[in-house]
Amino acid sequence: MAKIFCVANQKGGVGKTTTTVNLAAGLAQAGQRVLMIDLDPQGNATMGSGVDKRQLELTVYDVLLEAASIEEARVTSQKLVDAGCGYDVLGANRELAGAEVELVDVDRREKRLRLAIDEVASQYDFVLIDCPPSLSMLTLNGLCCAHGVIVPMQCEYFALEGLTDLVNTIKQVHANLNKDLAIIGLLRVMFDPRVTLQLQVSEQLKEHFGDKVFDAVIPRNVRLAEAPSFGVPGLVFDPASKGAQAFVSFAQEMVARSRVM
Ligand code: ADP
Ligand code: MG
């Protein structure tokens, strides 16, 4: 059965999408069967996985409204398959922004995605969900499905404070909606060891969260930022880059951690 992880942080621009697509590619490269679900109406994870969001006939929106199954709506980018990193994509585009409103009146609205994933969970080793930068109904749908949350964060001054809201939301979802949910780990991203403050915050994180801080550290690396404009994860765009190598390590760490979950 698939292990299901949300990549979440209510802040925008912290590296959620970069983490999701590169982890998906890294896991696929390691022989894992992966489904990547884009829960952000911006559709960046869709585009960054080599899938044109404007061409999609069915998206996660149709799945949330029970107009399609994941089996019907998922697609795969041949570019990624050819690179040995192929994974399935349940894409998103602007249409998804409407789901928030359309789901207001429906029954068990926060469980829609979970029910859909149940149908395909046996076909995958990992399901990764890229969440939008908010604690909205969409993020809630993601959290209701997941065994764990991966929180990418930059080692900045307010990093710990920003975590409080997310940790509280996760606690509430755990208490009321999904007993399986836990924070799997904090992933330090866009890390620059030359900046003293980042080293200090990194140490603080380890003091507060112990082994919930992943060993893998993702450096600030321009190749990771360039890759989306070519419609591939950095791990495919420039496999030798420091950023790509860091995500290979992170994928290995996730495989190891998932074995003992
Ligand atoms: P989010 O999904 O949280 O909004 P993104 O993954 O889209 O964040 O990242 C925000 C911006 O930072 C993007 O332009 C992305 O290419 C860039 N970026 C993310 N991770 C890195 C990194 N490790 N090094 C350099 N740039 C990065
Ligand atoms: Mg994003």
Side-chain angles (χ1 to χ4, degrees), residues 50-67:
V51 174
D52 188 344
K53 63 184 178 185
R54 293 154 303 198
Q55 307 281 322
L56 283 173
E57 282 176 24
L58 294 170
T59 67
V60 67
Y61 170 81
D62 301 282
V63 171
L64 285 169
L65 294 181
E66 292 179 345

Side-chain angles (χ1 to χ4, degrees), residues 221-260:
N221 180 248
V222 69
R223 304 301 268 170
L224 291 174
E226 288 167 348
S229 60
F230 295 87
V232 289
L235 204 138
V236 172
F237 179 57
D238 185 355
S241 65
K242 289 227 159 71
Q245 290 302 313
F247 274 111
V248 169
S249 302
F250 180 45
Q252 287 165 352
E253 194 175 348
M254 280 302 296
V255 171
R257 287 205 186 203
S258 299
R259 281 207 194 100
V260 296

Side-chain angles (χ1 to χ4, degrees), residues 11-18 44 190 218-222 224-225 228:
K11 277 176 74 178
V14 291
K16 290 182 291 295
T17 299
T18 305
N44 292 344
M190 300 189 218
I218 312 300
R220 184 170 284 286
N221 180 248
V222 69
L224 291 174

Side-chain angles (χ1 to χ4, degrees), residues 4 57-58 85 108 135 175 227 231 247:
I4 304 167
E57 282 176 24
L58 294 170
C85 299
R108 293 173 303 139
L135 297 173
F247 274 111

Side-chain angles (χ1 to χ4, degrees), residues 170-191:
I170 291 169
K171 277 186 186 154
Q172 276 177 24
V173 172
H174 174 86
N176 300 310
L177 296 165
N178 176 8
K179 283 196 297 299
D180 294 335
L181 189 67
I183 292 195
I184 287 304
L186 304 176
L187 179 66
R188 292 163 286 174
V189 299
M190 300 189 218
F191 194 74

Side-chain angles (χ1 to χ4, degrees), residues 32-162:
Q32 305 290 311
R33 299 166 302 164
V34 181
L35 170 66
M36 195 285 294
I37 299 178
D38 191 351
L39 260 190
D40 187 338
Q42 292 182 83
N44 292 344
T46 304
M47 299 294 278
S49 298
V51 174
D52 188 344
K53 63 184 178 185
R54 293 154 303 198
Q55 307 281 322
L56 283 173
E57 282 176 24
L58 294 170
T59 67
V60 67
Y61 170 81
D62 301 282
V63 171
L64 285 169
L65 294 181
E66 292 179 345
S69 66
I70 292 180
E71 230 155 13
E72 290 165 329
R74 68 188 170 193
V75 293
T76 309
S77 157
Q78 192 57 40
K79 246 191 302 192
L80 299 197
V81 174
D82 292 344
C85 299
Y87 55 87
D88 287 350
V89 175
L90 177 57
N93 55 32
R94 284 170 54 193
E95 220 181 12
L96 180 59
E100 196 86 35
V101 176
E102 287 165 64
L103 283 174
V104 162
D105 283 330
V106 307
D107 227 20
R108 293 173 303 139
R109 59 183 188 270
E110 69 287 338
K111 297 246 169 96
R112 288 289 179 102
L113 190 60
R114 183 182 184 140
L115 295 171
I117 291 177
D118 279 349
E119 291 175 22
V120 296
S122 65
Q123 300 171 28
Y124 297 100
D125 301 304
F126 286 89
V127 177
L128 301 178
I129 304 171
D130 187 34
C131 290
S134 62
L135 297 173
S136 60
M137 177 58 63
L138 291 171
T139 298
L140 200 60
N141 255 280
L143 294 176
C144 278
C145 310
H147 300 113
V149 186
I150 296 166
V151 184
M153 56 188 308
Q154 295 174 48
C155 291
E156 289 169 343
Y157 187 59
F158 290 116
L160 282 171
E161 275 166 61

